[in-house]
Amino acid sequence: MGMTMSEKIMASHSGRSSVKPGDIITCDVDWAGIHDMMFLLSGSQGDFSKINKVYDPDKIMMFIDHGAPSPTTADADGAVRERAFAKKHGVKNFFDIGNQGVIHQKIAEEGFAAPGRLIACGDSHTCAAGAFNCAARGFGPAEMIYILCTGQNWYEVAPTIKYELYGKLPEYVLAKDLFLYLAGEYGEVTNYNVEFAGPGIETLSVSSRQSVTTMCAEINAEFAIFPYDDILEDYLKGRARGSYEPVIPDADAEYAEVRKIDLSTLVPYVSGAHYIPDNCRPISASEGIPINQAVLGSCSNGRIEDLQLAAKMLKGKKIADGVRMIVTPATHEIYKEALRQGLFEPIAEAGAIITNATCGVCYGGHLGMIGAGERCISTTTRNFKGRMGSADSEIFLASPATVVASALTGKVTDPRTL
Amino acid sequence: MKVTGKVWKFGHDINTDLIFPHTAFRLPPKEQIKLIFSDNRPGWADEVQPGDIIVSEQNFGTGSSRPGAVLLKNLGLGGMLSDSINGLFFRNCVSYGFPALQGPGISDLFEEGDVAEFDLATGLIKNLTSGKALQVPALPESMVETVDAGGVFEVLAAKGLIDPMV
């Protein structure tokens, strides 16, 4: 029996020649990542200062991203503990303020994510690294402490659903729309891996693939993996740390289901408020609904491509009266690149504000909160009730093009109509 | 491990931010548990009695890696049953020693206030009020052992890899 990409990585990291769904195995983790939110925890939740010795400091990645820089004294105290942890254990790969960024984008741009690897981070959107032909998933703090101590963790091999992509997305229909379509059309995939295949993949940039794999956390995918190809190889050139071995699915690999998608037929999609699976519809269902805030950023959509699109769409225009638009590059590297490319000027002149690189508005703990009765349209990852502030507010998720178009009109707007 | 307790019913897509709001991150543990479900069911955390059980519709625990399971445990809940549980949340249940089982049809088995009994090692779920029962997949032995031990911190401390967390 052949193996899927996920199964091959599970096998190679558990010292087996093959695995099948349902197997419970112990795997060696290639890279383990933790961020500042973990250092806010204490006692029974998991106190990282209680670790006596880490397995290997050179396999650990550390980040300050959620509160970058610290929005409260509690966050600042957490950052003090995090810096002390890095020093105590000799962790060299620590990305502090000045070289900071959202963990998943840092893992990509720093070359930690590379084909065939097994990556574990204390953040649910870790499946983002699947865009790089990796098996990556999030764990809670207890399991991250386990991994830091032992270099290993248990995995249950999951069955895999394959999405076969054909065609090319139309203008102003983006990878985020593809994800929102999958979430709306097929719903959650709890306890399944997701793998992408088909000729449509070559029409998607690495950044677009990251947008999709990041969001696969929201349909509960275990791993979300794209295949290796020339586009990925180009991205990895001069960037990937160490050598890597791409995984290619066997021709006779077994899939729980194969779902075929013609990208050329897709339209902009928008989520409703409060939950994602089965709650995303074509934009015609929400067009015209007024908004108070528009956000462009996050591990899903805070990359240079997203900022280029925003700059192009905002050039010479003004954000609608009564709307606040917040633009947040995912990393400080992207911030500097946007500055070099002159992308900030048209964005700022339009009346949007540009923030430092941070998880920021996405998790509601840093900046850009919304109040009672307000609605935010956002490229970020979650629309949970109260996540960005008041429990009486609403978050709609959409693509960068839809968010910018909506910011310009003050209501949910189809970017193809501007 | 067998768990018995009074049922509180919840709907679908109960996410981690409702269980563990980010505002709770910066509070002492005793204050944190008061914020559980404060956005979707205000006052509930004050009504819960030790050993009570949550029963929910599909997709419980969707969202963040934050350890919502340990907050539910610290509130005194005995365990959780759901039509489906987010994979990361389920792993948090195991690693923090909070008993949980999942399987289609669980939420239909109970009304709020019923008494539930479940066994991680057999996967048998009983409604002691109605007399009905449902068989769902049992937890693998290694996971039952972790839950029985009280979670992975107990396992790591026993090996001397960490100092005790509390």
Side-chain angles (χ1 to χ4, degrees):
Chain A
M1 180 56 64
M3 290 192 285
T4 65
M5 293 185 278
S6 319
E7 287 160 3
K8 285 192 169 183
I9 298 174
M10 292 280 87
S12 65
H13 287 72
S14 61
R16 293 166 185 236
S17 55
S18 72
V19 297
K20 61 181 188 313
D23 289 350
I24 295 176
I25 55 176
T26 300
C27 291
D28 294 328
V29 172
D30 293 317
W31 287 104
I34 50 177
H35 60 53
D36 51 316
M37 291 300 273
M38 309 220 141
F39 289 87
L40 294 179
L41 304 172
S42 62
S44 59
Q45 298 169 354
D47 179 346
F48 284 70
S49 73
K50 298 284 177 73
I51 295 178
N52 292 323
K53 188 174 179 299
V54 298
Y55 171 73
D56 183 353
D58 293 334
K59 290 186 170 183
I60 300 174
M61 312 171 285
M62 294 179 64
F63 307 87
I64 291 186
D65 62 357
H66 280 63
S70 301
T72 69
T73 310
D75 287 88
D77 289 340
V80 167
R81 289 189 288 273
E82 181 168 355
R83 291 176 189 121
F85 180 95
K87 197 170 171 199
K88 173 183 167 186
H89 296 287
V91 177
K92 293 188 284 288
N93 295 310
F94 178 32
F95 301 92
D96 204 340
I97 306 302
N99 189 18
Q100 90 281 10
V102 182
I103 178 168
H104 312 299
Q105 181 58 23
K106 286 306 288 180
I107 287 173
E109 72 187 23
E110 291 288 336
F112 295 109
R117 288 186 185 159
L118 183 61
I119 294 180
C121 297
D123 191 281
S124 55
H125 292 111
T126 301
C127 50
F132 302 90
N133 194 231
C134 288
R137 65 160 299 149
F139 294 105
E143 291 196 275
M144 287 315 300
I145 289 174
Y146 188 90
I147 294 166
L148 295 187
C149 289
T150 65
Q152 296 183 323
N153 204 6
W154 65 268
Y155 291 80
E156 180 167 351
V157 180
T160 299
I161 296 171
K162 180 162 76 168
Y163 290 99
E164 274 183 6
L165 310 182
Y166 297 88
K168 185 177 186 296
L169 291 168
E171 198 180 11
Y172 292 115
V173 180
L174 306 181
K176 186 64 155 272
D177 295 307
L178 165 61
F179 167 78
L180 294 170
Y181 166 79
L182 297 179
E185 188 72 17
Y186 298 104
E188 57 167 298
V189 296
T190 307
N191 301 323
Y192 286 87
N193 300 311
V194 163
E195 295 188 7
F196 296 89
I201 285 175
E202 67 191 33
T203 69
L204 298 174
S205 64
V206 169
S207 179
S208 296
R209 299 173 193 185
Q210 288 173 272
S211 182
V212 173
T213 51
T214 300
M215 292 304 293
C216 283
E218 305 311 319
I219 49 172
N220 296 347
E222 292 285 303
F223 297 125
I225 307 185
F226 271 85
Y228 179 76
D229 65 2
D230 293 347
I231 295 170
L232 179 55
E233 189 182 307
D234 277 351
Y235 181 92
L236 293 168
K237 226 171 262 168
R239 185 191 302 271
R241 295 180 185 222
S243 60
Y244 58 82
E245 190 65 42
V247 282
I248 298 158
D250 289 327
D252 59 346
E254 197 162 295
Y255 299 94
E257 200 179 327
V258 179
R259 297 167 176 173
K260 295 181 197 290
I261 292 111
D262 181 354
L263 298 174
S264 68
T265 64
L266 298 189
V267 298
Y269 261 65
V270 181
S271 83
H274 306 331
Y275 64 99
I276 297 169
D278 306 313
N279 191 26
C280 304
R281 280 175 275 280
I283 194 165
S284 54
S286 54
E287 231 171 336
I289 297 177
I291 56 150
N292 307 94
Q293 181 164 290
V295 174
L296 188 139
S298 87
C299 45
S300 177
N301 285 111
R303 278 174 286 275
I304 201 72
E305 269 184 28
D306 304 307
L307 298 173
Q308 285 166 341
L309 179 75
K312 183 179 133 197
M313 290 179 71
L314 290 171
K315 192 170 184 176
K317 296 188 178 159
K318 290 283 176 200
I319 303 299
D321 284 346
V323 174
R324 314 177 293 272
M325 178 154 189
I326 302 172
V327 175
T328 300
T331 67
H332 195 58
E333 279 303 312
I334 293 169
Y335 184 104
K336 289 187 290 184
E337 180 59 24
L339 207 53
R340 283 192 287 268
Q341 292 186 16
L343 304 179
F344 285 162
E345 192 180 342
I347 293 172
E349 287 294 341
I353 64 164
I354 299 149
T355 77
N356 44 295
T358 167
C359 295
V361 186
C362 181
Y363 86 109
H366 195 193
L367 50 84
M369 309 287 275
I370 50 177
E374 291 201 307
R375 186 176 297 111
C376 176
I377 189 162
S378 181
T379 70
T380 56
T381 60
R382 293 196 172 121
N383 60 352
F384 298 168
K385 188 180 174 75
R387 181 167 166 99
M388 280 185 193
S390 171
D392 296 320
S393 64
E394 288 188 335
I395 305 162
F396 288 178
L397 301 178
S399 79
T402 301
V403 164
V404 174
S406 304
L408 288 170
T409 63
K411 53 193 194 239
V412 177
T413 299
D414 188 334
R416 299 170 302 175
T417 63
L418 283 190
Chain B
M1 174 187 272
K2 220 176 234 185
V3 179
T4 309
K6 190 173 72 108
V7 166
W8 294 93
K9 280 198 81 174
F10 284 80
H12 63 91
D13 294 282
I14 299 296
N15 66 62
T16 50
D17 297 40
L18 297 174
I19 301 164
F20 192 155
H22 71 79
T23 45
F25 270 94
R26 301 169 182 89
L27 297 174
K30 279 189 179 157
E31 299 292 314
Q32 291 179 332
I33 56 176
K34 293 180 185 168
L35 292 181
I36 298 172
F37 297 144
S38 53
D39 275 353
N40 59 322
R41 204 161 169 175
W44 176 82
D46 297 325
E47 295 180 54
V48 169
Q49 298 297 314
D52 285 356
I53 290 171
I54 288 176
V55 173
S56 87
E57 294 169 24
Q58 83 275 10
N59 204 14
F60 191 92
T62 188
S64 156
S65 64
R66 65 190 71 180
V70 74
L71 247 63
L72 298 176
K73 186 180 172 183
N74 290 346
L75 184 62
L77 288 163
M80 203 261 298
L81 295 167
S82 177
D83 292 342
S84 69
I85 304 175
N86 166 279
L88 174 46
F89 191 87
F90 177 72
R91 294 190 68 116
N92 274 337
C93 291
V94 174
S95 60
Y96 285 97
F98 183 62
L101 282 178
Q102 59 183 320
I106 286 180
S107 64
D108 288 339
L109 193 66
F110 296 98
E111 301 292 335
E112 182 142 313
D114 288 352
V115 176
E117 180 190 277
F118 66 94
D119 188 339
L120 295 183
T122 64
L124 184 63
I125 300 172
K126 290 181 186 166
N127 183 333
L128 299 183
T129 306
S130 71
K132 289 179 194 160
L134 183 70
Q135 181 68 51
V136 302
L139 241 59
E141 199 181 332
S142 58
M143 294 183 209
V144 176
E145 278 171 16
T146 305
V147 177
D148 279 342
V152 298
F153 294 145
E154 313 305 324
V155 174
L156 291 171
K159 291 180 180 169
L161 293 168
I162 61 169
D163 291 333
M165 287 293 170
V166 284

